[in-house]
């Protein structure tokens, strides 16, 4: 910070602020790392796509210009049915706790189901594709969805005793009963908190306790990668964990993957566990009136990892969220009721909430749900599904694209499907992977949108407008309608377009999809997302409260944003956020472990994978068994998705004189990068020792390495 301090002192001495001098490239301004990549050529949407697109009129872009903020977002809210129209589009009087569509009343389930019956009751709402290829797909029409959601809502209200405002934790795999349960909650105004099926029972229990859920909803099991996963067992662990945290769970409702056949080894606990298919018999054809909710009533919680060990419950509102996902689904996903749309994400993540369930169903689209992994039983599977169902909009992540390309780069050519539109989301995509997606998967016919956003933001922040903007491989693109980003360096100086420098991307204005708060921690919400660039905590002007996204980004001269990755202690593994602190605390739960540090390593398929460094207490031997113990602690406390690539047991950690572990040095070693200046460390000799242990050699050639790893572990 020496440079910044010097500049501030100079400004003060002169009495008035001076324009900042251009900073020398030193360690002090690492957010401004110069980024070197070649400008990619543009690709253009076809006239055929443009002709049918929902967003092909530049007047719409004009409508969302900054001078029309916030009223521009009426265009999104007007896609919904309101029981009572709102009187104030944005109430920004208590920053950063924004209120959207104030005075308005609506029900999210009514908007996604009931209102489509008149026109579309016989149309497919959901098409469920089981992983075993011998099992036929199941179609659920809007009429059938209406019936099933009502029955489940009646059960949740009358059997489970859930009321408007209660929270319920849902730990389920990708089966249609998951969106049905979510919509039933929304019908009652019960706040759902869906935990990704791949998380452990313990991780689920912690989230259930944080949200104060006394009802858990499970499935007995599911198919994944050719194996049957017994899921019910994790319910018992979740209940135990929640209890330790002071939260008692009195009912566990269990869906059977095959109604009538319980397929788990785990016994039912009398008086606590109930089979949904049996209880539902008492609610056949029951109808429950949708509860008319305040626009600001919370719709759901979605837990995500952050800089501290504890996952935070992002709380999303009913009106603003639903308006934002309906609007962005319509204009960026280009969904029409006649399209067959398939998003390969899991509903247990925000992508699934916004762009498998709420967005598509709000628009009366047909949304495909696939139970399993994309490359099962082979890399042709997704393309067989697309061909069979005539999918024309496809949505997935760079990790899945890399995997499918590696497993069968020619496979898409063998199948007769045609996409008009494809999405990539969750991590940066390498231009050559983008080109394979475009040429081979999209057969040079489909447009691609690279959508940058986050669990917190509800929906897209940067993406091209598919019929209006050209595409540029590797860049998310310009801001979404009504979103005004800015890139700042660590000192709050704007990083300009075309400067080639990176900085922290922020959003200057509120938008309807942004989360309301962190469940139970409003201070954490303010500190995490708004404190960094807020100059006046007393200010009541929204312009003083930019949203800090914790992503590094570069803005090209053409106005396209390229997202480099997280600048905090979060690792993006296969498009999913993993908090390094969470993994470290799992390691530290073992009595033998003295210290733990988790850093990202570059991986060809998953983008980044966690590498774990631990040091052991005196007298404990660094054995293979010890490594296995660390792995299993991580899998138990978080889940298999957090399984580290390698575990290094080291004699000591590189530390600053004040005792802080230098994660940046470990990240550099794990990625064959330059460790930089280490002379100021308390124990510089350990670096060489660890390098030899990890790389099998002392100082050798180093790689340039990606920007997020260069920035990893910085104090910011
Ligand atoms: C983080 C958010 C967005 C929903 C799924 C992930 C990274 C997201 C992109 C993109 C480059 C991206 C960011 C972000 N990210 N989309 N198109 N290009 N990076 O949601 O789990 O909350 O993760 O994913 O680093 O902060 P999430």
């Amino acid at each position: 910070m020496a440079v910044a301090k010097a500049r501030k002192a100079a400004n003060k001495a002169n009495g008035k602020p001076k324009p900042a001098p251009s900073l020398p490239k030193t360690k002090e301004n690492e957010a401004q790392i110069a980024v070197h990549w070649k400008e990619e050529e543009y690709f253009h949407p076809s006239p055929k796509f443009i002709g049918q697109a929902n967003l092909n009129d530049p007047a719409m872009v004009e409508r969302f210009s900054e001078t029309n903020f916030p009223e521009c977002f009426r265009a999104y809210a007007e896609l919904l049915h309101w029981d009572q129209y709102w009187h104030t589009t944005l109430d920004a009087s208590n920053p950063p706790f924004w209120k959207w569509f104030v005075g308005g009343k609506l029900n999210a389930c009514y908007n996604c189901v009931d209102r489509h019956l008149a026109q579309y009751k016989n149309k497919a709402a959901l098409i469920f594709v089981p992983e075993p290829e011998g099992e036929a797909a199941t179609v659920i029409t809007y009429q059938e969805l209406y019936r099933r959601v009502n029955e489940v809502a009646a059960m949740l209200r009358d059997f489970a005793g859930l009321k408007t405002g209660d929270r319920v934790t849902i730990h389920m795999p990708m089966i249609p009963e998951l969106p049905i349960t979510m919509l039933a909650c929304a019908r009652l105004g019960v706040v759902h908190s869906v935990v990704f099926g791949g998380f452990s029972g313990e991780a689920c229990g912690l989230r259930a306790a944080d949200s104060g859920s006394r009802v858990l909803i499970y499935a007995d099991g599911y198919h994944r990668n050719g194996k049957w996963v017994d899921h019910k067992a994790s319910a018992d662990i979740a209940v135990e964990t929640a209890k330790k945290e002071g939260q008692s769970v009195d009912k566990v409702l269990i869906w059977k993957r095959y109604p009538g056949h319980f397929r788990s080894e785990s016994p039912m606990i009398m008086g606590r566990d109930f089979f949904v298919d049996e209880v539902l018999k008492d609610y056949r054809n029951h109808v429950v009136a949708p509860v008319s909710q305040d626009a600001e009533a919370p719709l759901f919680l979605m837990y995500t990892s952050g800089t501290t060990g504890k996952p935070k419950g992002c709380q999303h509102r009913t009106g603003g969220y639903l308006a934002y996902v309906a609007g962005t689904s319509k204009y960026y996903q280009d969904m029409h009721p006649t399209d067959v749309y398939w998003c390969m994400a899991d509903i247990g993540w925000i992508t699934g909430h916004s762009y498998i369930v709420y967005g598509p169903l709000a628009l009366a689209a047909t949304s495909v749900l696939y139970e399993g992994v994309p490359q099962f039983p082979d890399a042709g599977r997704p393309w067989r599904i697309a061909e069979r169902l005539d999918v024309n909009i496809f949505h997935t992540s760079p990790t899945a694209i890399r995997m499918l390309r590696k497993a069968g780069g020619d496979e898409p050519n063998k199948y007769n499907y045609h996409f008009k539109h494809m999405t990539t989301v969750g991590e940066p995509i390498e231009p050559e992977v983008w080109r394979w997606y475009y040429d081979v998967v999209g057969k040079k016919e489909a447009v691609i949108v690279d959508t940058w956003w986050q669990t917190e933001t509800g929906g897209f922040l940067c993406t091209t407008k598919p019929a209006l903007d050209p595409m540029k491989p590797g860049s998310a693109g310009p801001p979404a309608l009504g979103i005004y980003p800015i890139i700042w360096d660590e000192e709050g100086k704007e990083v300009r377009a075309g400067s080639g420098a990176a900085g922290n991307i922020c959003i200057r204005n509120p938008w309807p999809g942004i989360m309301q708060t962190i469940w139970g921690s409003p201070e954490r919400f303010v500190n995490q997302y708004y404190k960094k660039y807020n100059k006046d905590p007393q200010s009541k002007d929204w312009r003083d409260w930019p949203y800090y996204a914790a992503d590094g980004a570069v803005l090209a001269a053409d106005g396209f944003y390229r997202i480099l990755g997280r600048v905090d202690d979060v690792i993006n593994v296969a498009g999913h956020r993993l908090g390094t602190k969470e993994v470290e605390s799992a390691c530290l739960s073992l009595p033998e472990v003295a210290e733990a540090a988790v850093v990202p390593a570059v991986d060809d398929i998953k983008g980044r994978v966690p590498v774990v460094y631990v040091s052991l207490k005196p007298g404990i031997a660094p054995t293979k068994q010890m490594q296995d113990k660390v792995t299993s602690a991580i899998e138990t406390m978080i889940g298999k998705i957090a399984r580290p690539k390698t575990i290094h047991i080291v004699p000591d950690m590189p530390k600053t004189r004040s005792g802080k572990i230098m994660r940046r040095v470990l990240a550099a070693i794990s990625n064959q990068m330059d460790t930089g200046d280490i002379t100021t460390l308390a124990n510089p000799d350990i670096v060489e020792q660890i390098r030899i242990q990890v790389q099998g050699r002392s100082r050798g050639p180093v790689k340039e390495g990606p920007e997020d790893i260069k920035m990893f572990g910085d104090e910011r």
Side-chain angles (χ1 to χ4, degrees), residues 260-281:
H261 306 276
F262 182 45
R263 290 189 53 174
S264 167
E265 303 288 315
S266 166
M268 295 290 280
I269 309 287
M270 273 274 283
R272 187 198 74 183
D273 297 352
F274 301 90
F275 287 124
V276 175
D277 59 340
E278 289 171 12
V279 180
L280 272 183
K281 289 183 182 140

Side-chain angles (χ1 to χ4, degrees), residues 95 127 163 189 294 415 503:
I127 304 179
K163 308 181 301 300
D294 209 275
Y415 299 94

Side-chain angles (χ1 to χ4, degrees), residues 304 349-351 424-429 450-456 476 549-551 563-566 572 575-577:
T304 190
W349 306 108
I350 191 72
T351 304
T424 164
V425 65
E427 357 148 31
I429 186 166
D450 180 342
T451 60
W452 169 69
W453 59 296
Q454 308 175 306
T455 304
E456 292 86 342
D551 271 324
I563 307 299
L564 303 171
R566 304 289 304 189
N572 191 329
H576 301 310
R577 260 154 77 168

Side-chain angles (χ1 to χ4, degrees), residues 127 129 131 174 196 224 333 335 340-353 355-357 360 367-376 378-386 391 393-405 419 421-425 436-437 441 574 576:
I127 304 179
V129 181
E131 190 187 77
M174 283 288 281
F196 170 58
R224 188 162 178 85
Q333 294 299 122
M335 270 179 230
V340 181
Y341 165 81
W342 179 20
C343 170
M344 229 163 52
D346 194 292
I347 293 176
W349 306 108
I350 191 72
T351 304
H353 275 49
Y355 299 112
I356 298 178
V357 181
S367 186
V368 176
L369 226 79
Y370 174 52
E371 177 180 34
V373 300
Q375 71 283 21
F376 181 83
D378 56 70
R381 186 68 193 278
W383 323 126
R384 286 197 289 281
I385 294 172
V391 172
I393 309 178
F394 184 65
H395 187 153
T396 193
S397 66
T399 290
I401 301 168
R402 289 183 211 111
M403 217 152 60
L404 290 165
R405 177 182 183 220
F419 296 148
H421 181 295
M422 306 193 297
T423 305
T424 164
V425 65
W436 180 76
Y437 196 33
V441 178
H576 301 310

Side-chain angles (χ1 to χ4, degrees), residues 164-178:
T164 303
D166 287 353
R167 280 80 53 210
V168 58
T169 295
I170 305 176
H171 194 196
M172 287 177 68
M174 283 288 281
I175 55 176
E177 288 76 10
L178 172 54

